[in-house]
Amino acid sequence: LPSVKAELVAVQAAVRQIIDLQQDLVDAIRLELDDTRPSPRTINADEMVERACKSNMTLARDLDITLRGARSRIAFVADERWVERILNNLVANAIWHSNGKKILIGARRIRGDIAFEVRDNGRGMKPEAVAGIFEPLKAPSLSPIGQSAARSGLGLYNVRLYTERMGGTVTCESTPQRGTLFRITLPGPITTVAPQPRLRDIDAAKLAKNKLVAILDELTT
């Protein structure tokens, strides 16, 4: 059973890599050849973080990686699909390449703008690698998991293109053996809203409704 499970994880990872590869190529062609413009609307940062976690949770769990999203009360104006693609690319990049075991996604204010951050505790990078991190790779690279599927080398390049098309900036901070931080900053205006209940919060509320809940002190005998 352990060997079968390991093979299944490898197959699932390879399939995910192929899907990511196809999406990266489509995004790059659209952004490079079409005069594609964002369709801005008011969106909730907390919802974007939750989606990124949900989309990548199964893969992260299969590879024994802890993926968490910090709650946010920020609402902002941007292209919803583009922000989702950016976060998914950054999380997927951390899963495939960081060699870390923990990934955290969050959003915060920076002088009236919103900044999404994806941080990992992986092997980090040298300054020369960071300098060209948002340029397309000359040749596809292979992940240790799912060797049959090549990475396009376009994921982070697309992140930069999407971000710049929305008037934002993207940066990378990394130190060898101390992890990596990607920060996407998008222009305001931003507002503060009440956090939306996540699915697990809603489920807990439903379970507790109309039920007698007993709270037992651990010292009680």
Side-chain angles (χ1 to χ4, degrees):
L1 286 179
S3 62
V4 172
K5 182 179 180 180
E7 289 291 335
L8 180 59
V9 169
V11 170
Q12 291 173 332
V15 171
R16 173 61 186 269
Q17 284 188 310
I18 293 172
I19 294 173
D20 286 348
L21 169 63
Q22 292 174 331
Q23 187 62 61
D24 287 345
L25 292 173
V26 170
D27 285 349
I29 292 172
R30 181 183 293 116
L31 289 167
E32 288 283 8
L33 301 182
D34 296 343
D35 188 23
T36 304
R37 297 299 173 188
S39 300
R41 59 179 292 268
T42 301
I43 50 181
N44 193 307
D46 192 65
E47 183 178 346
M48 293 292 97
V49 170
E50 178 74 356
R51 285 189 198 176
C53 288
K54 184 177 180 180
S55 297
N56 295 279
M57 188 61 72
T58 299
L59 179 62
R61 184 167 50 244
D62 287 343
L63 300 180
D64 196 27
I65 297 172
T66 300
L67 173 61
R68 292 182 179 175
R71 299 304 302 263
S72 174
R73 299 181 61 187
I74 300 175
F76 64 108
V77 177
D79 188 298
E80 183 175 2
R81 178 187 170 278
W82 288 17
V83 173
E84 188 170 2
R85 287 296 302 145
I86 287 170
L87 292 180
N88 276 332
N89 274 351
L90 291 178
V91 173
N93 179 77
I95 290 175
W96 294 125
H97 300 296
S98 73
N99 238 17
K101 288 301 180 181
K102 294 182 180 179
I103 301 172
L104 176 65
I105 317 171
R108 62 190 181 94
R109 297 171 180 263
I110 296 183
R111 295 183 296 276
D113 298 333
I114 182 171
F116 285 95
E117 298 180 345
V118 177
R119 183 188 301 270
D120 67 66
N121 68 340
R123 59 191 172 192
M125 294 176 286
K126 296 180 179 179
E128 54 268 29
V130 174
I133 196 69
F134 297 109
E135 298 302 323
L137 298 182
K138 294 182 179 179
S141 61
L142 291 173
S143 167
I145 302 297
Q147 291 286 346
S148 61
R151 294 289 293 156
S152 67
L154 294 172
L156 295 179
Y157 176 61
N158 289 340
V159 165
R160 178 169 68 83
L161 293 183
Y162 275 130
T163 303
E164 291 177 350
R165 286 282 180 92
M166 291 189 289
T169 58
V170 55
T171 60
C172 175
E173 301 173 13
S174 188
T175 304
Q177 309 307 319
R178 298 188 63 181
T180 300
L181 168 65
F182 285 96
R183 179 180 294 117
I184 304 296
T185 304
L186 299 175
I190 61 175
T191 57
T192 301
V193 296
Q196 297 294 318
R198 293 184 176 177
L199 182 59
R200 54 180 173 269
D201 299 330
I202 296 174
D203 290 344
K206 286 182 178 179
L207 290 173
K209 186 177 181 181
N210 299 325
K211 295 184 181 296
L212 177 64
V213 178
I215 301 177
L216 303 179
D217 190 301
E218 63 180 2
L219 299 179
T220 303
T221 58

